[in-house]
Amino acid sequence: MAAPDGFVEADNAEAIISRIEHKSRKIESLLKQSKPVEALKTALEGSPPNTRDERCKSANWIVVHRAIMAIKDLDALFSSLDPEYYDILMKYLYRGLSTGDRPTCDQCLRIHERLTERAGLGCILRSLADTMNTV
């Protein structure tokens, strides 16, 4: 059941976690098939979860993080990633930077640079200004 502000109430958090777990299995399968770009697209679909429940947001971050860290070829990423994913990807890159984990930060900065070249400064502004759809 959605709350008046459009967010899913906490009693539905288990259903959201279940969907995230299903998505995680699909992503692992794609990564085993050496399809990291498809894995990232799958991870970004339906993100962020429509809830304020931090367990859901953390579970989804783990899935997105796994896909982000598997990306090696940025040309392949940006040649096939639809622009509709740019803003949400930027949000997750900032979440990654906030971890302080060196390998995560390095990867997020690599992708951030290319994403900014591709999507422009508006992408940064939209991701920082959107306080409703937090990741």
Side-chain angles (χ1 to χ4, degrees):
M1 168 182 256
D5 58 8
F7 284 94
V8 176
E9 295 175 8
D11 59 345
N12 288 326
E14 295 308 316
I16 293 170
I17 295 284
S18 177
R19 285 195 301 272
I20 293 168
E21 288 170 349
H22 174 74
K23 185 167 40 172
S24 178
R25 288 188 295 274
K26 186 174 180 182
I27 288 165
E28 287 302 322
S29 173
L30 288 167
L31 291 175
K32 286 177 184 168
Q33 298 171 44
S34 297
K35 297 181 179 178
V37 174
E38 289 301 315
L40 182 58
K41 286 182 187 178
T42 301
L44 295 174
E45 288 172 5
S47 293
N50 195 20
T51 181
R52 288 192 178 109
D53 190 303
E54 285 304 316
R55 294 173 305 154
C56 296
K57 290 183 181 293
S58 291
N60 204 63
W61 160 244
I62 291 167
V63 171
V64 173
H65 177 258
R66 176 78 175 93
I68 284 173
M69 295 306 287
I71 297 293
K72 302 292 182 243
D73 184 352
L74 295 181
D75 290 330
L77 171 63
F78 288 108
S79 68
S80 64
L81 188 66
D82 295 327
E84 70 185 84
Y85 294 111
Y86 290 174
D87 289 3
I88 191 63
L89 176 57
M90 186 66 79
K91 283 178 175 259
Y92 280 108
L93 294 177
Y94 284 125
R95 176 151 185 177
L97 290 169
S98 74
T99 66
D101 175 64
R102 180 69 185 259
T104 299
C105 290
D106 288 349
Q107 177 73 340
C108 288
L109 283 172
R110 282 181 58 240
I111 297 171
H112 183 278
E113 179 181 20
R114 293 294 291 277
L115 180 56
T116 303
E117 288 171 4
R118 186 81 169 213
L121 296 177
C123 183
I124 295 171
L125 294 173
R126 287 187 299 275
S127 69
L128 294 176
D130 181 3
T131 57
M132 289 299 291
N133 301 306
T134 59
V135 298

